[in-house]
Amino acid sequence: RGLGDVYKRQYEYLLRKFAEGQGQSAGEFYTPREVSILISHIIEPSPGLEVYDPACGSGGLLIKCHLRLLETRGESKNGARRLPPDVAPLKVYGQEINGSTFAMARMNAFIHDMEAEIALGDTMARPAFKDSSGRLRQFDIVVANPMWNQDFPTSTYEHDPFERFRFGVPPGSSADWGWIQHMYASLKEGGRMAVVLD
């Protein structure tokens, strides 16, 4: 394996160890490797698709989707897996509210040699990805492991300019239903979605 693969494995190892040391708060930025791999197999990304994570944390779900495409469509060259020139890479998008975690996601994408558009900001209050008319942008694949049972004021849902919450206002004590509706609104017709919630 090339030197790049060593860095990738080391970075993932450090993220996991840091998450283990953080205890319960680790879920805010890190999805366990096994869960991320399972989601990438369920989603089974195809070349050229747009993949979005509205609560991307350190970017693990996006990375695993990229690695799954390399596994299924890549070829080995000089000890590393690469996509052949005729296979389009995934187009990867994510948003993260925490500045430090946002930096981890950007570094993770860089280490994995991925083109990724990662935005810093509050997805529920100010979604970063919109189309040219200002509506919520839609993607082929949406994956997420948002922080469970977050508190958002009901005004976040009741006065939403993007009409994301058509299926009912979530309770103020848990944003889980809100995250599902945001993801559904961000999904293209016929797209695939996977979310981890309690």
Side-chain angles (χ1 to χ4, degrees):
R1 294 189 173 190
L3 184 59
D5 289 332
V6 172
Y7 287 129
K8 293 169 194 173
R9 288 193 312 274
Q10 287 177 340
Y11 192 73
E12 184 172 2
Y13 172 81
L14 291 172
L15 280 175
R16 188 179 78 241
K17 287 300 179 188
F18 182 71
E20 288 170 1
Q22 295 297 307
Q24 284 187 311
S25 66
E28 293 179 30
F29 68 88
Y30 181 78
T31 300
R33 180 176 185 273
E34 298 80 6
V35 174
S36 300
I37 290 171
L38 177 62
I39 285 178
S40 74
H41 280 75
I42 291 169
I43 289 297
E44 202 60 62
S46 303
L49 296 184
E50 294 182 331
V51 183
Y52 169 59
D53 185 340
C56 72
S58 59
L61 291 174
L62 297 171
I63 301 296
K64 290 301 186 277
C65 287
H66 166 75
L67 293 176
R68 179 64 180 160
L69 183 64
L70 284 177
E71 182 183 329
T72 58
R73 301 299 294 269
E75 57 190 23
S76 270
K77 282 192 176 180
N78 301 324
R81 287 199 71 78
R82 302 250 181 248
L83 291 176
D86 62 330
V87 177
L90 297 176
K91 296 172 186 146
V92 178
Y93 304 85
Q95 187 165 350
E96 174 54 39
I97 193 169
N98 181 290
S100 298
T101 310
F102 159 79
M104 284 189 243
R106 298 275 306 254
M107 179 62 76
N108 211 355
F110 175 77
I111 287 172
H112 284 86
D113 196 26
M114 290 173 53
E115 291 288 325
E117 191 172 332
I118 309 291
L120 177 61
D122 183 340
T123 301
M124 283 298 187
R126 291 173 302 286
F129 300 103
K130 300 180 264 296
D131 64 20
S132 57
S133 64
R135 291 189 305 255
L136 207 60
R137 185 170 177 175
Q138 295 185 316
F139 302 89
D140 302 298
I141 295 173
V142 182
V143 293
N145 179 14
M147 192 169 80
W148 300 345
N149 299 314
Q150 285 177 291
D151 296 335
F152 287 110
T154 53
S155 60
T156 302
Y157 311 115
E158 292 169 345
H159 307 294
D160 179 53
F162 303 103
E163 300 176 355
R164 294 175 285 181
F165 311 109
R166 299 176 303 204
F167 301 107
V169 173
S173 61
S174 175
D176 294 355
W177 181 231
W179 280 112
I180 291 170
Q181 290 186 77
H182 170 80
M183 292 173 68
Y184 182 74
S186 301
L187 193 63
K188 287 181 181 175
E189 186 74 30
R192 296 187 303 277
M193 179 175 107
V195 59
V196 180
L197 289 169
D198 66 349

